[in-house]
Amino acid sequence: MNTRMITASAMIFALGASSAMAADVKLSGLVFGQYARHLSQTDTAGVSSKNRGEFGITRIYMNAEAKFSPKVKGKVVLESNTTQTTDTGHGSNSVFLKQAFGDYMVNDYANVQFGLVGTPWIGFEEGIWGRRFISKVFIDSEGVVSSADKGVGVLLKIPNDFGDFHAAHVNGEGTTAVEKTGKNGRHKDSMARLTLSPMVKFEPLSGLKLHGYIHNGRAQDGDNYLRDRVMGGVSYQHKRFHAMVSSFKARTGAGVKNTRSKGYSLHGSLKLPLSLSAFSRYDFYDPDTETSSDGRARTLWGVDYKVAEGVRISVNDQIVRQQLATNTSANENRLFFQLEMKF
């Protein structure tokens, strides 16, 4: 554990331990650990990896939630990870600020958040998927949208549990990047998600929900710097199982052109006897709809077991299949043994 992590951790726990604070502070944490074993000849980059195994701590979250009054709250989340093997990218055991915001409850149906806030879709779908320690949700794994950003958020509940609405107006650069300098910094991203529960009063369809999301942004001046996304989905949640299907289309510009991408995801789970659950997921991602055979599919299936309250383990297989495999874009198959600890 590096010096920055120790310092940051000490600051959070010192904050919680201070009896002189006016706020009621609650501390919590989350740790994801795993062992990944390559079953395929190569990884997705085409590097020979047969029988390669790696232990890793893929995520550590340290949370501090403060309640200043019945209407005013605050939250700070620090995140760290060692080498990342579950999704794209690699970590370096660094610590960074994941979320930090104030929350004002306007009334029983409306909240306003300001700071480094969660964006409307990812956290919401993670609540349905329920297995962040196994994998990020599809659009987070592929980098379609960021899970948090600096700005303001508005959360509304539809009366009688008929749904909710979450909107945000943010920089658009994500969690760690800074806003553009000069006049390009005037551009912001606006996004909103609407979830409807039309059958909430009618069993057994009360768990049926419809979801829509729209995202409009621009990285900087110019027509070829768009950051637009639209998504839709349907989910059903029951005390014994869940199922969800969602899809997206996007336009993303880096100056030359606005690249069109699309994809979809299906996932589900079933609770079994003896604290076991079975789950599966299928994702398909086309990063450029104007380029043929550049897409990839990801299949994920396995079981998890609740060891104790706050502790789960999982064994699962994760397979990536390229539409057109090459020396630098190859198929991959990995077996995972994973752990989640909440405290």
Side-chain angles (χ1 to χ4, degrees), residues 68-206:
F68 299 94
S69 75
K71 287 183 173 289
V72 182
K73 299 178 182 179
K75 184 174 182 179
V76 175
V77 180
L78 295 181
E79 179 177 334
S80 181
N81 64 290
T82 61
T83 302
Q84 174 78 315
T85 56
T86 302
D87 299 298
T88 56
H90 293 275
S92 58
N93 207 26
S94 59
V95 180
F96 65 92
L97 191 62
K98 181 69 173 181
Q99 293 186 10
F101 60 86
D103 184 301
Y104 178 71
M105 187 177 72
V106 180
N107 53 43
D108 290 341
Y109 299 100
N111 286 64
V112 177
Q113 297 177 345
F114 180 83
L116 179 53
V117 299
T119 52
W121 185 277
I122 291 178
F124 134 80
E125 187 178 354
E126 285 181 347
I128 300 173
W129 166 233
R131 290 163 175 83
R132 173 62 184 84
F133 76 107
I134 292 170
S135 174
K136 298 178 181 180
V137 297
F138 169 55
I139 62 166
D140 191 11
S141 179
E142 297 294 352
V144 178
V145 297
S146 176
S147 60
D149 209 329
K150 305 172 190 72
V152 60
V154 176
L155 295 84
L156 304 176
K157 297 178 183 177
I158 300 176
N160 299 316
D161 296 322
F162 277 105
D164 69 279
F165 175 79
H166 184 177
H169 185 64
V170 298
N171 283 345
E173 315 309 323
T175 305
T176 57
V178 298
E179 181 59 286
K180 294 283 194 304
T181 59
K183 64 178 182 179
N184 288 322
R186 65 188 175 184
H187 297 288
K188 299 290 178 283
D189 284 24
S190 298
M191 59 200 73
R193 173 187 54 81
L194 175 65
T195 291
L196 298 176
S197 303
M199 309 298 288
V200 68
K201 302 300 181 182
F202 301 95
E203 293 288 353
L205 298 177
S206 59

Side-chain angles (χ1 to χ4, degrees), residues 192-255:
R193 173 187 54 81
L194 175 65
T195 291
L196 298 176
S197 303
M199 309 298 288
V200 68
K201 302 300 181 182
F202 301 95
E203 293 288 353
L205 298 177
S206 59
L208 179 67
K209 296 182 180 181
L210 310 176
H211 316 287
Y213 174 93
I214 189 167
H215 181 137
N216 180 261
R218 188 184 298 267
Q220 63 181 65
D221 286 347
D223 294 334
N224 293 325
Y225 290 95
L226 297 182
R227 200 156 44 207
D228 295 342
R229 288 91 174 88
V230 61
M231 290 184 276
V234 180
S235 67
Y236 184 84
Q237 291 174 275
H238 185 270
K239 63 181 180 180
R240 299 294 303 174
F241 65 91
H242 97 271
M244 181 172 181
V245 57
S246 63
S247 64
F248 83 90
K249 290 185 177 180
R251 292 189 297 171
T252 307

